[in-house]
Amino acid sequence: MRSLTILGATGSIGASTLDLVRRNRDAFRVVALTGHSNVAVLAALAREFAAEIAVIGDEALLPDLRAALAGSGIASAGGAGALIEAARRPADLTVAAIVGCAGLAPTMAAIEQGRTVALANKEALVSAGGVMTRAVAQHGTTLLPVDSEHNAIFQCLAGNDVAHVRWITLTASGGPFRDWPIERLAHATPAEAVRHPNWSMGAKISVDSATMMNKGLEFIEAWHLFPVGVERLRIIVHPQSIIHSMVEYRDGTTLAQLGPSDMRVPIASALAWPARMATPCEPLDLATIGTLTFRAPDEERFPATRLAREATLAGGAAAAVMNAANEVAVAAFLSGQIGFTQIVQCCEDVLACGLPSPPQSLEEVIAVDHEARVRAREGLELVI
Ligand code: NDP
Ligand code: MG
């Protein structure tokens, strides 16, 4: 039996992870579950899985959490510091599934335990970059990618030497607007943006998929996880989302990982690694699917991948700045304060303001993130 902590248990990745745990109750003992605003779901999950502790990020909700857990014997805590404390509790495996840079400090705390971290929270790695990868190396932590593309690449690289890699190709669905005329994008609504054609996900990553900033963030994520160099990383649009990414070797062999568009597949791969576990997902029926298609990304319509590549090449604080601006802009779009095309424009504008010096520690990454958020809010003339 392995002990398991889930940071972001109340979200979409958290739910998929716990669905697998529910089907394998004998294999896992739950240590900590965290949420941010959803007290009722967090308390219900903590009771169902007999967690040691439930932690709510929004400290103001701690009294509600305490009330919801009364008589259960489950400990409770609240606030950003409590998330970090929860991540420090010994657990064989931590699933890092908080959305955004808010997950960075708890994810780093889990990494510093030197065990296994299954990473969904791509913004944390994009922002912290070398600060996180150095901590992984220093503490001997096993970092397993949960993001479907990176999990696919991880599987395609198994047993191979990255020195033989010619290309790593990230596949992208192209999102809900991949066939929209460019002039219509400015009028896209939040409801349209979160309606992803293939995947069911949280609101923020759904908007990122619509702008293709998700693929931009994933490009940077891949650059950190798989050291093949920026010139060996490519993106291809594959609308069916059946091939989750590919690795081509110098002998001309291409290995691809295929599967249904269900995050339980990559999550199961990380939960069971290096073994395998069953999932309830429908088997892949390629005869019914019939056709897999591919096309080059359209960076005129969706400039986010170009911006991310430029941020990778710029290095230093660029990725953290871009990520922070994107988080502010996506939140403003979802709350109806800005238009769809202003999201990536905001990232470009904040990057053009000039970059702070490269962050060398967690505290410096958080400071860079904070400063870029202020710039983004000023640039978008947001009230808060
Ligand atoms: P959701 O929005 O569904 O869930 C986010 C989780 O983070 C919730 O538990 C939420 O708590 C918590 N949270 C939100 N804000 C804070 C905060 N300020 N402090 C602490 N916790 C917070 O997101 P997803 O599950 O879709 O995504 C999670 C991460 O996984 C993201 O980084 C995303 O990019 C990545 N990912 C997701 C995929 C997917 O299919 N969903 C695929 C690949 C990667 P609460 O709900 O209680 O407010
Ligand atoms: Mg992905």
Side-chain angles (χ1 to χ4, degrees):
M1 192 180 245
R2 296 168 79 203
S3 53
L4 172 73
T5 282
I6 304 177
L7 307 171
T10 51
S12 165
I13 293 288
S16 294
T17 306
L18 286 167
D19 179 73
L20 294 168
V21 173
R22 192 176 282 120
R23 294 164 196 273
N24 293 276
R25 288 301 286 263
D26 299 340
F28 298 99
R29 180 175 64 78
V30 174
V31 177
L33 297 179
T34 84
H36 185 65
S37 57
N38 206 333
V39 170
V41 169
L42 179 61
L45 292 172
R47 283 179 184 272
E48 178 186 352
F49 292 96
E52 281 175 22
I53 185 168
V55 181
I56 192 84
D58 182 351
E59 202 165 1
L61 297 173
L62 181 56
D64 296 352
L65 180 62
R66 286 218 171 103
L69 288 174
S72 67
I74 298 168
S76 54
L83 292 174
I84 295 170
E85 290 300 316
R88 283 196 185 127
R89 286 194 173 219
D92 298 325
L93 175 62
T94 301
V95 177
I98 292 174
V99 60
C101 201
L104 174 56
T107 300
M108 285 291 284
I111 287 170
E112 285 163 8
Q113 300 314 300
R115 300 192 185 186
T116 302
V117 174
L119 183 77
N121 183 196
K122 66 191 86 182
E123 299 92 345
L125 177 56
V126 167
S127 299
V131 170
M132 182 179 285
T133 52
R134 280 194 293 278
V136 168
Q138 187 190 334
H139 296 279
T141 306
T142 302
L143 192 66
L144 299 173
V146 165
D147 212 347
S148 58
E149 297 76 4
H150 306 74
N151 185 268
I153 295 162
F154 180 77
Q155 295 196 48
C156 294
L157 284 172
N160 288 284
D161 186 341
V162 288
H164 299 309
V165 171
R166 186 184 283 162
W167 298 108
I168 288 181
T169 305
L170 294 157
T171 53
S173 70
F177 305 146
R178 66 174 172 247
D179 297 318
W180 278 32
I182 194 165
E183 55 285 356
R184 204 177 143 197
L185 289 175
H187 309 290
T189 66
E192 289 167 329
V194 299
R195 213 178 297 132
H196 195 279
N198 304 344
W199 298 92
S200 159
M201 310 182 286
K204 193 263 176 181
I205 182 176
S206 297
V207 175
D208 285 345
S209 297
T211 59
M212 289 203 59
M213 182 55 88
N214 183 48
K215 214 49 56 181
L217 297 173
E218 289 181 356
F219 184 92
I220 300 171
E221 185 184 10
W223 185 73
H224 288 296
L225 289 173
F226 312 114
V228 295
V230 73
E231 66 290 345
R232 293 188 186 276
L233 290 174
R234 304 192 298 190
I235 296 169
I236 195 162
V237 175
H238 166 46
Q240 296 82 14
S241 298
I242 297 296
I243 295 181
H244 298 300
S245 279
M246 301 174 249
V247 178
E248 182 177 329
Y249 291 93
R250 65 179 183 175
D251 60 2
T253 296
T254 297
L255 298 183
Q257 186 262 355
L258 287 72
S261 312
D262 187 322
M263 284 306 293
R264 289 177 298 183
V265 176
I267 294 169
S269 150
L271 288 184
W273 186 86
R276 298 272 178 188
M277 67 194 278
T279 68
C281 306
E282 284 293 308
L284 201 56
D285 181 354
L286 287 174
T288 301
I289 293 162
T291 311
L292 301 181
T293 60
F294 305 92
R295 60 173 109 145
D298 179 350
E299 291 192 337
E300 196 198 333
R301 202 189 308 207
F302 300 110
T305 49
R306 169 184 56 77
L307 213 55
R309 204 169 44 248
E310 288 169 4
T312 311
L313 289 168
V321 166
M322 186 190 77
N323 177 70
N326 183 57
E327 287 194 32
V328 169
V330 169
F333 170 71
L334 282 170
S335 62
Q337 297 181 75
I338 65 167
F340 181 74
T341 46
Q342 283 180 276
I343 300 172
V344 176
Q345 188 59 54
C346 167
C347 299
E348 186 142 30
D349 292 347
V350 174
L351 279 168
C353 292
L355 294 174
S357 38
Q360 304 296 339
S361 64
L362 174 60
E363 293 67 31
E364 288 179 16
V365 176
I366 290 169
V368 166
D369 174 82
H370 180 76
E371 189 190 324
R373 280 168 198 267
V374 171
R375 286 220 174 137
R377 282 194 199 99
E378 282 168 4
L380 293 171
E381 298 178 346
L382 300 176
V383 235
I384 42 137

